[in-house]
């Protein structure tokens, strides 16, 4: 099954909450939703008397995502709060409080809408400085959020080449930090996958080769194909169905489902300039639809086009059209073969 959905609450959605977005996606006959995690400020406070003895997930005042106890950060939402704990909350959560995520996740399951979350786009896991620690924390908090939503993937970028460190040192730091994140992932029994996205600029870590090497090196990491980014990095390499098929086949062995992002794009010199509606630019969806119908994978494709849900619906329609033509052609050929066999009798 191939799922399609927008990268954010649909533009046509009257309500702007996550629950509204999920319901609107379902009403548009789409079945996936990408959420953008903002780089919200994180603050601490002590629990009040009514919160002591309750679970972390039951805190109603603010989006409390973890607590600090004896200098250690604890992310398990079922942890019982003690008087001396420090509650860590985000100033801008995706819901009013963490506990709401569980009910929203149930709604998404009932409506058959898969949830993906993208961490803040500016990430730096290569410099090993104070920002790196903040970025690692963002990935961990995203994992805790998606786990509560019973979602599928935390997608992220990993870093850029700043010139302050040799590229090989940045690559080594990224590998070490991702391995550490996955150790935490397993220790905390996080169900969703950690997806690393192809990036759209030469100065940013995230070519297809780098990501597949990382997936080979660290268990539990899966690739996320960002088609406009890959198209930009490779100077417009995605033109024919065979180009898309080759890319899909390289990624398919790493996960039981392919996760991808699609939009139109303007690019030059191996770098993305800006995303566009799918019908503009030289990256077309029809060849991808042909490749998908050939490979027939399990896949989720998120529209990052400025038109969001409009282009998600456009992709679904084009994919169904290509599939219908193939089925009709196969039936026609079968009928022709049957008539030829009957004539020979």
């Amino acid at each position: 099954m191939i799922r399609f959905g927008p990268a954010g609450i649909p533009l046509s959605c009257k309500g702007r909450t996550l629950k509204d977005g999920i319901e609107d996606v379902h009403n548009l006959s789409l079945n996936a939703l990408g959420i953008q995690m903002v780089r919200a400020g994180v603050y601490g406070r002590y629990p009040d008397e009514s919160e002591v003895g309750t679970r972390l997930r039951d805190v109603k005042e603010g989006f409390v995502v973890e607590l600090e106890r004896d200098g250690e950060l604890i992310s398990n939402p079922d942890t019982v709060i003690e008087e001396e704990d420090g509650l860590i909350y985000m100033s801008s959560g995706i819901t009013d409080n963490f506990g709401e995520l569980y009910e929203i996740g149930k709604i998404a399951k009932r409506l058959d809408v898969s949830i993906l979350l993208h961490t803040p786009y500016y990430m730096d896991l290569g410099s090993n400085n104070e920002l790196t620690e903040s970025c690692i924390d963002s990935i961990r908090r995203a994992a805790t959020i998606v786990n509560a939503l019973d979602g599928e993937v935390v997608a992220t970028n990993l870093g850029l080449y700043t010139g302050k460190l040799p590229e090989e040192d940045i690559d080594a730091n990224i590998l070490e930090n991702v391995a550490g994140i996955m150790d935490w992932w397993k220790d905390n029994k996080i169900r969703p996958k950690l997806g690393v996205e192809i990036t759209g600029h030469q100065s940013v870590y995230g070519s297809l080769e780098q990501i597949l090497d990382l997936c080979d090196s660290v268990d539990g990491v899966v690739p996320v194909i960002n088609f406009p980014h890959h198209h930009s990095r490779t100077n417009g390499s995605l033109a024919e169905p065979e180009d898309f098929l080759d890319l899909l086949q390289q990624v398919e062995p790493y996960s039981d489902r392919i996760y991808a992002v699609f939009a139109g794009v303007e690019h030059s010199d191996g770098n993305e300039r800006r995303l566009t509606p799918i019908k503009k630019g030289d990256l077309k969806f029809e060849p991808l639809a042909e490749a998908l119908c050939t490979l027939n994978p399990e896949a989720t494709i998120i529209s990052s086009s400025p038109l969001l849900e409009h282009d998600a619906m456009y992709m679904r329609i084009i994919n169904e059209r290509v599939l219908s033509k193939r089925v009709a052609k196969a039936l026609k050929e079968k009928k022709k073969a049957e008539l030829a066999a009957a004539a020979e009798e």
Side-chain angles (χ1 to χ4, degrees), residues 5 71 84 119 144 154 248 330:
E84 298 302 319
T119 65
T144 305
V154 174
L248 292 168

Side-chain angles (χ1 to χ4, degrees), residues 148-210:
L149 285 166
D150 200 13
E152 291 197 13
V153 172
V154 174
T156 190
N157 302 331
L158 294 177
L160 67 164
Y161 299 113
T162 63
K164 296 180 181 178
L165 289 174
E167 290 189 7
E168 56 268 25
D169 289 353
I170 290 176
D171 292 348
N173 290 340
I174 286 174
L175 175 61
E176 181 180 3
N177 287 325
V178 171
I181 289 170
M182 293 314 298
D183 287 341
W184 173 91
W185 212 271
K186 295 171 187 175
D187 290 343
N188 285 270
K189 298 180 173 58
I190 301 295
R191 294 183 304 275
K193 301 177 179 70
L194 176 62
V196 181
E197 186 179 35
I198 295 174
T199 58
H201 294 85
Q202 302 293 330
S203 61
V204 181
Y205 179 98
S207 67
L208 173 65
E209 294 74 16
Q210 286 176 320

Side-chain angles (χ1 to χ4, degrees), residues 13-30:
C13 182
K14 292 182 180 179
R16 305 311 298 169
T17 68
L18 179 56
K19 177 177 176 291
D20 294 328
I22 290 169
E23 292 174 344
D24 207 57
V25 162
H26 171 73
N27 292 335
L28 291 169
S29 298
L30 299 171

